Amino acid sequence: MAKQVIWCVEDEQNIRDILEYTLQSTGFESRGFKDGQSFLDALQQEALPDLVLMDIMLPNTDGMSLLKQIRSHTQYAHIPVIMTTAKGMEYDKIKALEQGADDYLVKPFGMMEMVARIKAVLRRCQARQNNIHTPHENEKIGVDLQSRQAWIIEEDQKEFLDLTKKEFDLLALLLSQPGVVFSRDDLLDAVWHTDFLGETRTIDVHIRSLRTKLKTYGNQIETVRGVGYRFARNDD
Ligand code: CA
């Protein structure tokens, strides 16, 4: 299998060197960019990376506007992005996640933590991709991750659902692996990008609202008592 390719946009050369070295020694192919322009040039001219690790504080074009450009371009919108920035910039974190970053690392972060986060994001995105490329003929509920539309089929009519961003992310994640139980921790981590356990009630509230919006298919999201939620498998 070809190695997964990680691009690192980081202006500080010593950090960039460590990132690249760590990635290469943990089975990835990696490439560093010292600024946004060289990154954007490569994006247009070369095979797309499997994931981008992006510093927010960069000369000229900062990481946040690079993220915006990636997310608003249909050809690149699916590329997973993990943002990195200095400690104490909590505002940046929220902004990055709202702009569609898949995860966030606060400097200084450990190299093994970075590798673990990259692998987790890649796993999650792979599950989503599989879901896009293998739609079932008789699928009654569907999501399109590029247009971020979700729908149900009722009486042979496709009815689009009006979901919030989090409801959409939750549905897409559950749908990506029918039958697999996601704990509240998994969902918090994947959709809310936090592991603060005080927030688990938030999940229950979103699931309830999602079930209502799914109408007759609401019961397809099953509660697994004491653990979390799963999407029903049709062949059960
Ligand atoms: Ca920087």
Side-chain angles (χ1 to χ4, degrees), residues 10-12 55-58 107:
E10 168 61 64
D11 56 320
E12 281 170 66
D55 189 22
I56 290 184
M57 302 280 269
L58 292 168
K107 289 177 180 176

Side-chain angles (χ1 to χ4, degrees), residues 85-227:
T85 202
K87 204 176 179 142
M89 304 289 279
E90 284 301 297
Y91 176 68
D92 278 352
K93 174 176 177 174
I94 294 162
K95 244 173 64 182
L97 296 175
E98 279 177 358
Q99 295 286 348
D102 293 275
D103 203 355
Y104 188 95
L105 282 164
V106 176
K107 289 177 180 176
F109 47 85
M111 288 299 108
M112 288 306 113
E113 184 189 0
M114 172 192 75
V115 171
R117 298 278 200 102
I118 286 177
K119 286 182 177 169
V121 168
L122 286 170
R123 264 200 310 273
R124 238 151 55 202
C125 294
Q126 194 54 51
R128 283 192 235 152
Q129 294 290 328
N130 291 343
N131 189 45
I132 303 181
H133 295 306
T134 55
H136 299 293
E137 277 292 303
N138 59 348
E139 206 169 64
K140 298 291 187 198
I141 306 173
V143 292
D144 179 337
L145 297 172
Q146 298 222 327
S147 63
R148 293 190 64 87
Q149 282 180 319
W151 60 86
I152 54 175
I153 309 281
E154 267 206 309
E155 292 167 3
D156 289 334
Q157 294 286 314
K158 197 174 191 179
E159 187 185 327
F160 287 99
L161 305 176
D162 183 21
L163 302 182
T164 66
K165 182 179 183 299
K166 295 298 184 200
E167 287 166 356
F168 180 90
D169 290 343
L170 260 181
L171 178 63
L173 182 64
L174 291 169
L175 260 181
S176 69
Q177 297 182 73
V180 173
V181 182
F182 289 88
S183 69
R184 288 181 174 78
D185 282 4
D186 292 339
L187 296 174
L188 267 183
D189 185 43
V191 177
W192 278 266
H193 310 283
T194 170
D195 49 12
F196 177 50
L197 289 175
E199 299 290 339
T200 51
R201 267 181 55 86
T202 309
I203 290 176
D204 300 336
V205 171
H206 279 75
I207 291 278
R208 207 175 306 146
S209 153
L210 190 53
R211 279 176 173 150
T212 307
K213 292 182 180 180
L214 287 169
K215 299 184 179 173
T216 50
Y217 303 113
N219 61 5
Q220 297 281 293
I221 298 177
E222 300 172 336
T223 304
V224 181
R225 206 170 286 280
V227 187

